[in-house]
Amino acid sequence: MSERRGHDLGLHRVLEPEGALPQAAQRLDAESEAFDNEIVIEVQTLNIDSASFHQILGELGRDEAKVAERVCAIVAERGKMQNPVTGSGGMLLGTVKAIGKDYKGPVELKVGQRVASLVSLTLTPLKIDRVIKVHLDADQMDIEGTAYLWPSSPIVAMPDDLPERVALSALDVCGAPAQTARLVAGKKRVLILGAGKSGMLCAATARATLGDEGEVYAVDLHDTNLKLLKEAGIVDDFRTANAKIPTEVLKAVESMTGGELVDVVINTCNVSGTEMSAILPARDRGVVYFFNMATDFSRAALGSEGVGKDVDLLIGNGYAHGHAELTLKMVREFEVVRSRLESLTGEG
């Protein structure tokens, strides 16, 4: 039998342009049979990136059939789920169908095991055979399909103590809580901008990291999650404000802090145009972390320069050592976070 070993970074799946890595590729090969160093996943659920899903909803409305059609069209054209507007993808949940004889991935796996990818759908060869259900409030789609992962792709076995949709929803943003824990350690004031799924997890992580030694503030357009975070003691104070209006956010933050700026800002908004709302509240030599995949980084850099802000601007990295474990720990330890995820995914 001939050897069919692919590149450990997935270059063998790139159709165009030549020489591109899978994430930057315009098109991937999702039709070829598995290579000897790949695993085959029978996909049951796609968790679409929040920025991507909300962009599609904003264009098509809350029409399940149209949303399904759009996602299928993107995947058929590109061989992966990468929204051409936001550039973002998401992650998947499925069952290990086959393991290549040369596959040596980050964790031990066996056929039949339930797994979630911890690598973006923007670089995952994916084929959708059928859409079963679109979950508009959870940013998820139940499908029948196939995906392929190579050794460099992070993956995690699903926990048995949490509903799968809840775990998948949390794992989709697990890079943000892990980075938050690193960034806020030893700091005094932290602002969470955006109180959706990732914002709530980041707020919980900030509280767990700081304990009573620091102050955690939150700003969102709506107050539903903010009130729950305050009642649970996760945030010290909150305000509602439009993150597309930087001066409105700055005023809101100063009203909470008594006019002080904060040490760290974690931007988890799922819409574009929120760069300066994250930068203005940061103190001199503070840190601004953009987990928001709708961020325009040139706008952030030039905008910070334009207002004379000497702050560190950090790009959200979806991968960090131990990120899946930490995120699931936050879901287990903070009941309000778990209950909100259960509500959003229909598991409550």
Side-chain angles (χ1 to χ4, degrees):
M1 180 182 292
S2 62
E3 292 284 328
R4 291 190 75 248
R5 181 181 175 87
H7 194 283
D8 282 353
L9 295 178
L11 301 183
H12 58 289
R13 288 282 180 178
V14 175
L15 294 177
E16 60 175 306
E18 184 178 350
L21 287 165
Q23 196 280 330
Q26 290 297 310
R27 197 158 58 95
L28 297 182
D29 173 16
E31 298 294 333
S32 296
E33 293 184 2
F35 287 72
D36 291 339
N37 62 335
E38 290 182 331
I39 58 171
V40 184
I41 299 177
E42 189 176 87
V43 184
Q44 277 86 44
T45 303
L46 300 179
N47 196 101
I48 307 298
D49 171 76
S50 179
S52 172
F53 200 80
H54 282 78
Q55 183 277 322
I56 293 173
L57 290 183
E59 182 179 334
L60 302 178
R62 293 176 61 84
D63 186 314
E64 291 186 23
K66 289 182 178 179
V67 171
E69 184 179 0
R70 174 61 57 83
V71 172
C72 287
I74 293 172
V75 171
E77 179 181 353
R78 308 201 67 176
K80 58 179 179 174
M81 177 53 205
Q82 185 172 29
N83 187 318
V85 177
T86 65
S88 53
M91 60 182 293
L92 61 82
L93 167 70
T95 303
V96 177
K97 185 177 182 180
I99 302 174
K101 64 183 183 65
D102 295 330
Y103 175 79
K104 293 180 175 62
V107 296
E108 290 292 327
L109 297 173
K110 58 185 179 182
V111 172
Q113 193 166 15
R114 298 286 285 170
V115 295
S117 66
L118 294 177
V119 66
S120 175
L121 291 175
T122 63
L123 55 82
T124 303
L126 174 68
K127 180 170 55 177
I128 296 177
D129 297 317
R130 183 168 76 95
V131 174
I132 300 171
K133 173 71 175 174
V134 178
H135 302 272
L136 295 175
D137 293 322
D139 304 346
Q140 294 179 355
M141 288 176 52
D142 293 335
I143 70 164
E144 292 178 357
T146 305
Y148 304 90
L149 293 177
W150 38 83
S152 63
S153 302
I155 191 170
V156 64
M158 294 300 289
D160 55 14
D161 64 328
L162 293 171
E164 283 190 339
R165 288 192 186 282
V166 171
L168 179 65
S169 184
L171 290 170
D172 180 47
V173 296
C174 62
Q179 300 291 350
T180 296
R182 295 175 179 178
L183 294 173
V184 307
K187 299 300 191 294
K188 184 177 180 182
R189 298 185 184 91
V190 176
L191 170 66
I192 308 297
L193 188 59
K197 174 177 65 177
S198 55
M200 293 188 76
L201 281 163
C202 289
T205 305
R207 176 54 65 207
T209 304
L210 295 174
D212 296 329
E213 300 302 313
E215 299 165 354
V216 181
Y217 303 103
V219 172
D220 192 89
L221 185 60
H222 307 288
D223 66 4
T224 302
N225 288 345
L226 295 173
K227 289 179 178 178
L228 293 173
L229 291 172
K230 180 69 164 59
E231 291 169 1
I234 293 175
V235 301
D236 294 282
D237 204 352
F238 69 84
R239 294 289 188 276
T240 56
N242 186 344
K244 286 179 171 288
I245 306 176
T247 53
E248 184 176 312
V249 172
L250 177 60
K251 182 179 179 181
V253 172
E254 290 178 332
S255 73
M256 290 187 284
T257 64
E260 298 292 331
L261 300 180
V262 301
D263 302 302
V264 180
V265 180
I266 309 292
N267 185 351
T268 69
C269 299
N270 59 12
V271 295
S272 61
T274 67
E275 295 82 6
M276 293 309 297
S277 286
I279 290 169
L280 287 184
R283 66 166 174 80
D284 186 58
R285 297 305 306 126
V287 174
V288 181
Y289 178 71
F290 293 101
F291 189 70
N292 173 12
M293 292 297 104
T295 299
D296 183 323
F297 294 104
S298 63
R299 185 186 298 165
L302 295 175
S304 186
E305 174 188 317
V307 296
K309 276 283 185 176
D310 185 4
V311 295
D312 292 336
L313 307 178
L314 303 182
I315 298 173
N317 183 354
Y319 179 76
H321 296 307
H323 61 337
E325 294 81 3
L326 182 145
T327 298
L328 294 178
K329 185 172 184 284
M330 293 301 99
V331 176
R332 295 182 180 109
E333 292 186 358
F334 289 89
E335 177 58 34
V336 64
V337 175
R338 175 169 178 164
S339 65
R340 284 302 290 152
L341 291 178
E342 289 176 340
S343 176
L344 290 171
T345 57
E347 296 285 355

